[in-house]
Amino acid sequence: MNFSKLRVALDGPSGAGKSTVAKAVAAKTGLIYVDTGSLYRTVGLYMAQHGIDAYDTEKIIAALPKVDIKLTYEDGQQCVSLCGEQVGDKIRTEQASYYASAVSKIPEVRAFLFEMQRSLAREGGCIMDGRDIGTVIMPDAEIKVFMTATAEERARRRHKEQREKGIEVSFEEVLESIIARDKQDSEREAAPLKPADDAIEFVNDGYTVETSADYIIGLMKEYLGAKV
Ligand code: DC
């Protein structure tokens, strides 16, 4: 089946497994996986590296013209560079997550990253994950999925991950922070986390990465089948 021009918008809260599932869909279908969270993380990294406070909105906006982000794709892998240097895992630290969440609330930051995401969307043949993909970035995507899992299920997965990394944290603490982040993401003024009116809501409690990916591929096949 030829998936090559399809655009899949995958939105949902953090911890629902969007990036892992999107990568699996991309590997099975040949679509390019675009991780939009990495862009907010990279803006955050720039601010952290330049000693700008995560909540100093004025300084963040003033610094934006100097934030030179380039995205490239090698063997289906997205590489992000900041001012000529690959960011690698530097955008995956707790500090980068904290900064990403703070800068993503600023409308000027969202506008700054808008065109980069739109130009990828125009090329098609991608599965893009984020918070506002189906509502703002690719409102015309052929497939829109709002993927979530209950807060308890996401807390269980995150708690397991952290224990495996040797981080001592209680299940209750993890659950509380997930509930707080959901609230912040859905109540913010700029591009709040909410499903597009025409998105399919997929609660993946009890699904594995494999079966979640198959569910989305099923929607893609259904779409193409209906067009024949
Ligand atoms: O998906 P992630 O955890 O890498 O996202 C990092 C932060 O960026 C998170 O706080 C939400 C924000 N984000 C956003 O506001 N819009 C997007 N399209 C993607 C991420």
Side-chain angles (χ1 to χ4, degrees):
M1 205 167 253
N2 189 1
F3 297 121
S4 66
K5 285 287 161 211
L6 281 186
R7 288 161 302 173
V8 182
L10 182 59
D11 290 301
S14 37
K18 294 187 302 293
S19 63
T20 335
V21 170
K23 269 186 208 152
V25 172
K28 286 183 171 193
T29 59
L31 294 185
I32 286 177
Y33 165 50
V34 181
D35 165 12
T36 63
S38 69
L39 301 175
Y40 292 92
R41 289 174 177 272
T42 304
V43 171
L45 177 66
Y46 181 94
M47 303 305 157
Q49 285 177 338
H50 289 79
I52 298 173
D53 187 90
Y55 287 93
D56 190 338
T57 305
E58 264 178 43
K59 278 204 182 138
I60 291 173
I61 295 171
L64 283 177
K66 292 189 220 108
V67 183
D68 172 24
I69 301 179
K70 298 246 159 24
L71 281 180
T72 49
Y73 292 89
E74 285 162 26
D75 298 329
Q77 284 272 56
Q78 177 179 283
C79 302
V80 188
S81 75
L82 171 62
C83 303
E85 263 188 45
Q86 293 292 327
V87 295
D89 284 342
K90 280 189 234 149
I91 57 168
R92 303 290 160 203
T93 62
E94 278 300 316
Q95 190 197 33
S97 302
Y98 173 79
Y99 264 86
S101 172
V103 301
S104 69
K105 289 202 209 86
I106 305 172
E108 285 82 352
V109 170
R110 306 200 73 84
F112 175 73
L113 297 174
F114 179 81
E115 194 42 45
M116 201 181 297
Q117 297 171 82
R118 281 293 296 163
S119 67
L120 288 164
R122 272 194 289 272
E123 283 175 33
C126 65
I127 175 163
M128 202 179 275
D129 87 344
R131 307 295 190 283
D132 60 342
I133 309 303
T135 48
V136 178
I137 305 295
M138 297 204 293
D140 47 358
E142 286 79 16
I143 317 279
K144 292 184 189 177
V145 181
F146 190 85
M147 188 169 87
T148 185
T150 57
E152 287 72 18
E153 173 74 15
R154 286 181 284 138
R156 254 191 302 280
R157 293 174 191 164
R158 179 132 183 85
H159 188 225
K160 183 167 171 266
E161 252 171 42
Q162 292 189 317
R163 303 253 326 229
E164 282 166 6
K165 284 188 195 156
I167 302 167
E168 276 306 318
V169 57
S170 74
F171 173 76
E172 286 70 26
E173 277 175 278
V174 177
L175 180 60
E176 238 171 67
S177 90
I178 283 184
I179 291 171
R181 213 160 133 181
D182 281 359
K183 191 168 149 61
Q184 184 172 339
D185 284 351
S186 54
E187 289 178 1
R188 72 179 179 202
E189 267 174 45
L193 175 68
K194 67 169 174 53
D197 291 339
D198 51 352
I200 292 165
E201 287 202 56
F202 171 33
V203 182
N204 69 11
D205 285 36
Y207 281 73
T208 61
V209 171
E210 193 72 13
T211 55
S212 297
D214 287 343
Y215 173 81
I216 294 175
I217 294 168
L219 295 175
M220 294 162 66
K221 286 183 178 161
E222 222 172 82
Y223 176 85
L224 290 174
K227 283 198 65 172
V228 176

